[in-house]
Amino acid sequence: MDVISWLGAYFVKNEIYEKAMSYFQRASEIQPHEVKWQLMIASCHRRIGAYQDALNLYRSIHKKHPDNLECLNYLVRLTKELNLRDEYQEYSVKLSKVERAQNRMAAKSSVYTQEVNAAPSESPGSRAGGEVPTVRNLSQEQRSPISIGNVDPSQTVKHVSGGHKKDDDDWGDEELGDDMLPM
């Protein structure tokens, strides 16, 4: 799958969308339940100007995956560009509902995480004989890597950079087409 995915991305990067579509189609056959391959194919149709083919594929994807934000975003965009007012309105409403639902889920998840983190616990951090030392309850002096445990300073390893800057990558200054990547 990695090779097929890489080849598809390579052809997209080089703007050979018809060739990329064949690789994404193959990936879709191998992983039929993975929506990203169908989204990639639809995106290729859109990029070559085959808007009706792209729209039909996005409609098909939406039937199978009604909560997929990327699909809904493109349905809204395409129906607006193709002046399909009724569908544009329909997909805009659906997009708003899905975004609100996902925001509510994210908020609930955030509240749950905060509650779990704030809840007292009997494990890591407390014990019968007193509190287990953690980074949070150590003084600045105790946080030193030399003073935690019995670490011999001569045994520590210093990080040595390989001479690359953090932002260096193999892609240079080329735009990678983020809209082709799965969300």
Side-chain angles (χ1 to χ4, degrees):
M1 276 311 301
D2 291 339
V3 172
I4 293 172
S5 175
W6 183 88
L7 286 168
Y10 171 81
F11 286 114
V12 165
K13 181 179 173 190
N14 289 294
E15 299 180 9
I16 307 170
Y17 303 112
E18 292 86 357
K19 190 80 171 165
M21 280 192 280
S22 67
Y23 287 100
F24 295 138
Q25 182 62 41
R26 181 69 181 126
S28 177
E29 292 165 2
I30 294 169
Q31 294 179 329
H33 299 293
E34 184 63 59
V35 69
K36 73 179 175 181
W37 305 124
Q38 290 296 307
L39 290 169
M40 298 283 225
I41 295 166
S43 180
C44 287
H45 282 296
R46 195 172 35 81
R47 286 174 175 240
I48 63 172
Y51 299 116
Q52 195 59 50
D53 291 337
L55 182 61
N56 290 337
L57 188 49
Y58 283 124
R59 286 174 180 152
S60 172
I61 294 167
H62 176 66
K63 285 180 184 175
K64 296 174 188 169
H65 306 277
D67 294 336
N68 187 290
L69 280 175
E70 182 177 356
C71 181
L72 280 169
N73 274 312
Y74 283 117
L75 281 168
V76 168
R77 184 187 296 177
L78 280 172
T79 53
K80 183 177 182 179
E81 289 174 4
L82 296 173
N83 205 23
L84 302 171
R85 292 183 184 134
D86 292 339
E87 282 187 76
Y88 168 74
Q89 191 63 32
E90 174 189 345
Y91 291 126
S92 293
V93 168
K94 287 180 178 183
L95 176 62
S96 294
K97 286 180 181 179
V98 170
E99 285 176 332
R100 280 194 306 267
Q102 288 187 0
N103 287 338
R104 280 193 302 271
M105 296 277 283
K108 285 181 182 179
S109 175
S110 176
V111 168
Y112 174 76
T113 302
Q114 289 172 357
E115 289 172 355
V116 167
N117 289 340
S121 130
E122 292 299 319
S123 51
S126 63
R127 64 179 179 191
E131 196 168 317
V132 174
T134 64
V135 173
R136 288 184 185 161
N137 62 18
L138 294 176
S139 69
Q140 186 63 33
E141 183 179 288
Q142 291 171 317
R143 290 182 190 172
S144 164
I146 295 171
S147 65
I148 295 177
N150 295 323
V151 178
D152 179 0
S154 66
Q155 299 297 319
T156 59
V157 177
K158 294 183 181 178
H159 180 310
V160 178
S161 175
H164 292 286
K165 290 184 265 178
K166 259 186 180 178
D167 293 335
D168 279 355
D169 60 30
D170 295 334
W171 304 106
D173 295 327
E174 293 182 28
E175 187 65 32
L176 294 179
D178 290 338
D179 61 332
M180 287 299 297
L181 299 174
M183 289 182 81

